[in-house]
């Protein structure tokens, strides 16, 4: 089972076994698998640079022995028919998952990978189709297969911003990289965010255009793809609720960043203009520039996709279902959503994924809206423009309208959550347990630092011309280390398992008016969630910011992966086990930027009954990452955001709750920027 951290969803799934490089039943070591994947994804637009893989690509016959496939070769025979009939998308062409035919082709290849019984069959197919299929389709299929196939459990995927740099890097920098390669002159080039100071959105570009944020977003959608069918291998537990929560957290976090920079919260209405335009300053490797959108564009119907009226009808049907308290499935049966699991059904409906019980009636609001908003530069195909940034999960968050779109959908989710009855005091109380004190050790302070990544895969390549060092560096948000200090009393007379849940929300809104508790809890950012054993009497808990369950470290660079893999092939420990997941916000993104005066936040800690919360055993024993495997059961029985996920008509319920603590803190940013040297 491959293990992943999921933004604000995660909790320890037990004390994990040694994840060092080992051999599988087929004899291939994890180090060899890592080696293979490194070379399959390196220089993706050129020839394979590993002689063994190149030999497989040239000599392997995918249909020679169908006994190596768990579906008796059905998937590979289907793909080979389309390949032989020249029906597949050519190489050196853009790829978008939102293009139905291109998605079908990528999933045909994924279907081959997921049905391989052994690594040799897996990697041989990968090498073979890498040379014959569209590069974007291949990269997508391989990434999702490595994430979900048990054959690749311990493989660390390289950062997508080094595999396909065009999707993450300004075109001006890409042009400079080409000049460096052509003149054989090494270069490090400074990247900047799109726009100028004349554009207010420039103040928060560091958030949406952060390559770690881009990586998180696309990786989450690979971990929980909307096209997933359980017949592939396993069920994605609480997938619809995960979709809601991850995007809810991105939305409230973006609004907190806007408050840090004196900007109003975002909103989107289909009958009002898109006030803020966007110029991506990025280009496809093959296919031209990403389309720009001017200011104050009125929404138009998109030919071949949807009318705005269609989206309004779908929205009204979903809101009608919320008002009635049930979803109607395709057989006409009622599915009750007036309970804690109703959000899971609603998430499947709104996205919509193949888990939706009635996609014909409720449509695919999220996926269709992404395309409609992304095509507003050329809604009628008059100029034959390629897909916009919103039609790629890698690039979507670069456009500020992404957060406006998800705020629109978040309001629909809120309508459902607010229809549920508030929690009672009895439901919220953890009898005999009280939070006595909360403190922060170390100032909550953010700063910017320059981050460098490699651009060697951005330029055209041939074995006859030597590589030169080409990279770019870009500013990114980070924070200084801090600790949560939490004093908890356990007067139950015995040791108990407890869940510690930490949230924060801005104290004041954009008009300087204090958020009510009910307003604040919906805008709460989840900072951490972990299990701990409380001994009788006083307990002093210290939780480091670096231990947060909602974050992951930076993905290792290609260079690091090559070095570590070489060491592992020589018998050393790879040191890569902590990087097997990229599904989470970067740890450096744990807290919002804040400002010079200190942006005030309400920080709350809820200590709840761990025995009742835990869906798995031994959750308190994991002292490293808090992992959640998409292949298994989600570790926390409670709804995401509990106990702040339901409306609070009377905040005195929480004020008088012994197992709930509430303090105010400030997040500072003093303009510090650690420059590239």
């Amino acid at each position: 089972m491959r293990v992943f951290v999921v933004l604000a969803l995660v909790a320890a799934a037990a004390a994990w076994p040694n994840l060092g490089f080992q051999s599988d039943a087929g004899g291939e070591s994890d180090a060899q698998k890592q080696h293979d994947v490194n070379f399959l994804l390196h220089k993706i637009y050129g020839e394979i640079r590993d002689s063994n893989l190149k030999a497989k690509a040239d000599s392997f016959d995918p249909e020679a022995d169908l006994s190596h496939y768990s579906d008796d070769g059905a998937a590979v025979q289907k793909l080979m028919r389309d390949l032989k009939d020249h029906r597949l998308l050519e190489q050196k062409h853009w790829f978008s998952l939102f293009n139905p035919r291109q998605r079908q082709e990528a999933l045909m290849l994924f279907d081959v990978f997921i049905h391989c019984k052994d690594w040799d069959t897996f990697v041989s197919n990968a090498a073979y189709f890498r040379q014959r299929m569209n590069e974007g389709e291949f990269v997508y299929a391989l990434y999702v297969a490595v994430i979900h196939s048990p054959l690749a459990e311990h493989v660390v995927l390289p950062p997508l911003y080094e595999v396909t740099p065009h999707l993450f890097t300004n075109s001006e920098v890409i042009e400079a990289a080409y000049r460096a390669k052509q003149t054989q002159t090494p270069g490090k080039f400074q990247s900047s965010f799109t726009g100028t100071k004349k554009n207010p959105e420039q103040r928060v570009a560091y958030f949406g255009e952060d390559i770690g944020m881009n990586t998180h977003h696309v990786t989450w959608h690979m971990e929980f793809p909307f096209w997933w069918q359980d017949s592939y291998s396993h069920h994605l537990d609480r997938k619809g609720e995960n979709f809601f929560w991850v995007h809810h957290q991105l939305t409230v976090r973006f609004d907190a960043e806007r408050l840090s920079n004196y900007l109003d919260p975002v909103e989107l209405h289909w009958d009002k203009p898109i006030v803020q335009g966007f110029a991506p300053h990025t280009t496809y490797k093959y296919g031209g520039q990403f389309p720009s959108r001017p200011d104050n564009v009125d929404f138009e119907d998109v030919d071949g996709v949807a009318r705005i009226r269609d989206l309004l009808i779908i929205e009204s049907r979903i809101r009608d279902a919320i008002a009635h308290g049930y979803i109607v499935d395709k057989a006409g049966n009622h599915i009750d959503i007036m309970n804690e699991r109703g959000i899971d059904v609603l998430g499947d409906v709104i996205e919509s994924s193949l888990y939706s019980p009635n996609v014909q009636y409720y449509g695919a609001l999220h996926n269709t809206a992404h395309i409609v908003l992304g095509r507003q530069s050329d809604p009628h195909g008059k100029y034959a423009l390629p897909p916009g940034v919103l039609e790629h999960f890698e690039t979507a968050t670069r456009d500020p309208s992404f957060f406006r779109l998800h705020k629109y959908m978040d309001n629909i989710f809120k309508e459902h959550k607010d229809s549920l009855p508030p929690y009672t005091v009895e439901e919220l109380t953890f009898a005999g347990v009280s939070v006595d004190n909360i403190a922060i050790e170390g100032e909550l302070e953010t700063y910017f630092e320059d981050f460098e990544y490699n651009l060697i895969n951005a330029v055209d390549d041939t074995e006859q011309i030597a590589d030169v060092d080409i990279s770019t560096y870009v500013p990114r948000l980070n924070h200084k280390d801090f600790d949560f200090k939490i004093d908890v009393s356990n007067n139950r007379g015995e040791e108990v398992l407890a869940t510690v849940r930490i949230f924060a929300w801005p104290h004041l809104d954009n008009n300087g008016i204090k958020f009510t508790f009910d307003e604040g809890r919906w805008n709460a950012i989840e900072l951490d969630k972990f299990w701990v054993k409380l001994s009788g009497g006083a307990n002093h808990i210290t939780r480091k910011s670096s231990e947060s369950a909602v974050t992951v470290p930076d993905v290792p660079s290609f260079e690091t992966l090559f070095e570590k893999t070489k060491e592992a092939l020589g018998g050393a420990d790879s040191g890569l086990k902590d990087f097997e997941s990229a599904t989470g916000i970067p740890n450096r993104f744990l807290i919002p930027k804040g400002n010079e005066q200190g942006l005030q936040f309400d920080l709350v800690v809820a200590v709840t009954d761990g025995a009742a919360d835990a869906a798995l055993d031994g959750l308190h024993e994991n002292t490293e990452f808090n992992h959640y495997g998409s292949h298994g059961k989600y570790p926390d029985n409670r709804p995401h955001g509990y106990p702040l996920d339901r409306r609070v008509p009377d905040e005195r319920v929480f004020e008088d709750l012994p197992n709930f603590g509430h303090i105010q803190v400030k997040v500072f940013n003093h303009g510090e920027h650690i420059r590239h040297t």
Side-chain angles (χ1 to χ4, degrees):
M1 178 187 299
R2 187 172 175 83
V3 180
F4 291 89
V5 179
V6 181
L7 167 64
L9 308 178
V10 292
W16 299 100
N18 178 8
L19 299 183
F21 280 141
Q22 304 166 6
S23 295
D24 64 15
E28 300 88 352
S29 70
D30 286 328
Q32 183 61 49
K33 294 178 181 180
Q34 184 69 57
H35 169 93
D36 293 341
V37 171
N38 291 348
F39 276 98
L40 285 168
L41 291 168
H42 192 50
K43 298 180 180 293
I44 189 64
Y45 297 102
E47 293 289 330
I48 300 174
R49 293 301 181 87
D50 179 76
S51 58
N52 290 329
L53 290 174
K54 184 66 168 62
K56 289 179 184 291
D58 293 338
S59 63
F60 180 67
D61 179 359
E63 298 177 286
D65 187 351
L66 301 182
S67 68
H68 288 279
Y69 304 96
S70 59
D71 64 346
D72 297 323
V76 76
Q77 288 179 317
K78 180 180 179 182
L79 180 57
M80 288 298 291
R81 279 196 300 270
D82 278 15
L83 176 65
K84 293 173 182 177
D85 291 343
H86 305 288
R87 297 191 66 238
L88 300 179
L89 180 68
E90 68 268 26
Q91 292 188 327
K92 296 178 171 51
H93 189 286
W94 55 260
F95 160 73
S96 171
L97 191 65
F98 287 100
N99 180 294
R101 174 57 190 176
Q102 293 178 8
R103 178 173 68 248
Q104 181 186 13
E105 293 178 10
L107 298 192
M108 288 166 67
L109 180 56
F110 167 78
D111 208 10
V112 172
F113 291 150
I114 204 68
H115 285 105
C116 291
K117 290 182 177 180
D118 56 81
W119 182 254
D120 186 62
T121 305
F122 184 108
V123 75
S124 297
N125 273 290
Y128 179 87
F129 287 107
R130 183 193 189 275
Q131 292 201 158
R132 292 163 176 83
M133 287 189 66
N134 174 270
E135 299 88 351
E137 292 180 350
F138 173 81
V139 168
Y140 182 79
L142 183 61
Y143 263 76
V144 181
V146 168
I147 286 171
H148 289 278
S149 172
L151 295 174
E153 180 179 357
H154 301 308
V155 172
V156 176
L157 286 161
L160 272 167
Y161 50 79
E162 289 193 344
V163 176
T164 53
H166 282 73
L167 297 177
F168 301 87
T169 311
N170 289 1
S171 53
E172 297 88 348
V173 173
I174 297 293
E175 292 169 5
Y178 268 105
R179 288 193 295 270
K181 180 64 180 288
Q182 290 167 352
T183 61
Q184 290 289 282
T185 306
K188 293 181 181 180
F189 308 105
Q190 181 178 0
S191 288
S192 58
F193 300 121
T194 58
T196 69
K197 291 184 179 180
K198 293 181 180 180
N199 179 9
E201 297 298 321
Q202 175 75 6
R203 300 181 211 166
V204 288
Y206 65 84
F207 185 72
E209 295 183 31
D210 184 275
I211 58 174
M213 173 58 67
N214 303 152
T215 299
H216 154 66
H217 184 240
V218 66
T219 306
W220 188 90
H221 279 283
M222 289 176 173
E223 173 78 7
F224 295 93
F226 63 83
W227 47 261
W228 184 264
Q229 303 177 67
D230 290 353
S231 58
Y232 284 127
S233 60
H234 56 275
H235 180 71
L236 302 180
D237 189 36
R238 293 167 67 174
K239 179 187 179 306
E241 185 182 10
N242 293 346
F243 169 79
F244 149 68
W245 184 246
V246 165
H247 291 90
H248 170 70
Q249 284 293 289
L250 290 180
T251 301
V252 298
R253 175 60 186 273
F254 187 63
D255 276 348
E257 299 298 339
R258 297 181 71 82
L259 285 174
S260 297
N261 293 279
Y262 311 101
L263 295 172
D264 291 339
V266 295
E267 58 182 17
L268 180 143
H269 303 279
W270 296 117
D271 58 348
K272 294 182 179 180
I274 314 169
V275 176
Q276 298 294 343
F278 180 63
H281 285 254
T282 47
T283 184
Y284 286 94
K285 172 73 172 177
Y286 302 104
Q289 298 280 340
F290 277 85
S292 297
R293 184 186 64 249
D295 290 344
N296 298 306
V297 170
D298 290 316
F299 280 106
E300 291 190 45
D301 299 340
V302 176
D303 294 355
V305 178
R307 299 171 298 174
I308 300 302
R309 179 173 175 270
D310 297 333
L311 295 174
L312 293 171
I313 290 172
I314 291 171
E315 177 191 344
S316 68
R317 289 174 177 175
I318 294 171
R319 290 187 185 275
D320 190 55
I322 293 170
H324 281 93
Y326 60 81
I327 295 289
V328 179
D329 70 16
K330 58 186 177 183
N333 301 311
H334 291 184
I335 301 174
D336 183 18
I337 60 172
M338 291 297 293
N339 51 62
E340 64 180 17
R341 295 296 177 240
I343 189 71
D344 190 40
V345 179
L346 197 61
D348 289 332
V349 165
I350 289 177
E351 187 178 14
S352 104
S353 72
L354 293 185
Y355 284 7
S356 173
N358 196 345
V359 68
Q360 183 175 357
Y361 183 71
Y362 295 109
L365 183 61
H366 166 265
N367 295 346
T368 305
H370 258 270
I371 301 172
V372 168
L373 186 51
R375 298 271 182 93
Q376 289 305 303
S377 301
D378 188 21
H380 308 298
K382 182 177 179 181
Y383 305 104
L385 296 180
V389 295
L390 284 160
E391 294 176 77
H392 300 272
F393 289 129
E394 298 95 327
T395 58
T397 64
R398 293 173 66 90
D399 188 341
S401 66
F402 166 87
F403 298 99
R404 289 165 169 78
L405 177 61
H406 278 280
K407 182 69 164 291
Y408 155 76
M409 284 179 281
D410 202 52
N411 288 335
I412 300 175
F413 283 118
K414 185 176 188 298
E415 191 171 315
H416 162 69
K417 280 289 190 176
D418 285 351
S419 71
L420 300 175
Y423 292 116
T424 65
V425 173
E426 291 74 24
E427 289 174 317
L428 295 170
T429 301
F430 188 9
V433 173
S434 62
V435 176
D436 303 324
N437 188 60
I438 307 169
I440 299 293
E441 186 173 277
E443 186 176 55
L444 297 178
E445 181 181 346
T446 66
Y447 60 93
F448 284 90
E449 63 180 7
D450 286 344
F451 174 71
E452 182 179 352
Y453 62 96
N454 198 297
L455 293 180
I456 195 66
N457 289 335
V459 298
D460 292 332
D461 183 68
T462 175
E463 292 188 59
Q464 286 69 45
I465 300 177
D467 289 335
V468 294
D469 291 333
I470 308 171
S471 62
T472 184
Y473 58 95
V474 61
R476 64 179 191 176
L477 187 68
N478 204 337
H479 65 82
K480 297 185 177 179
D481 290 338
F482 62 90
D483 297 341
F484 296 105
K485 298 283 189 177
I486 307 168
D487 294 338
V488 181
S489 293
N490 171 19
N491 298 313
R492 295 172 64 94
E494 60 181 355
E495 184 181 67
V496 295
L497 181 65
T499 314
V500 181
R501 307 167 186 271
I502 307 175
F503 302 88
W505 65 77
H507 186 64
L508 305 175
D509 68 11
N510 54 308
N511 293 312
I513 300 172
K514 179 183 175 182
F515 278 121
T516 65
F517 190 94
D518 189 51
E519 292 169 336
R521 60 94 197 169
W522 183 255
N523 287 283
I525 300 164
E526 186 172 22
L527 299 178
D528 205 351
K529 175 169 58 180
F530 58 95
W531 276 260
V532 64
K533 282 286 184 74
L534 297 177
S535 57
N539 293 263
H540 306 287
I541 300 171
T542 298
R543 180 74 168 180
K544 297 180 181 298
S545 58
S546 58
E547 297 173 325
S548 173
V550 309
T551 65
V552 294
D554 288 327
V555 182
S557 66
F558 252 130
E559 181 180 7
T560 299
L561 288 176
F562 278 122
E563 290 175 356
K564 295 292 186 181
T565 304
K566 185 177 180 179
E567 293 172 4
L569 287 170
D573 186 339
S574 72
L576 292 174
K577 68 175 183 177
D578 286 345
F579 304 100
E580 291 180 12
S581 165
T583 313
I585 60 170
N587 180 266
R588 57 187 174 77
F589 252 28
L590 180 60
I591 57 176
K593 171 177 166 282
N595 53 39
E596 182 70 35
Q597 293 74 31
L599 187 65
Q600 193 169 11
F601 282 82
D602 289 74
L603 189 145
V604 300
V605 175
V607 179
T608 59
D609 186 345
D613 299 344
L616 300 169
D617 295 330
L619 293 173
H620 63 287
E621 296 171 359
N622 182 21
T623 57
E624 295 181 351
F625 272 24
N626 290 328
H627 291 77
Y628 164 45
S630 69
H631 303 60
K633 186 174 177 60
Y634 182 73
D636 188 4
N637 282 322
R638 302 293 188 181
H640 297 318
Y642 177 84
L644 304 178
D645 61 306
R646 296 194 186 183
R647 58 190 171 91
V648 183
D650 186 352
E651 61 188 70
R652 291 175 298 179
V653 170
F654 280 88
E655 289 176 353
D656 299 333
L657 204 62
N659 54 308
F660 185 83
H662 185 175
I663 63 171
Q664 289 174 10
V665 297
K666 286 186 176 182
V667 179
F668 292 90
N669 182 283
H670 299 302
E672 181 182 357
H673 187 164
I674 300 175
R675 302 285 179 178
H676 181 272
T677 56

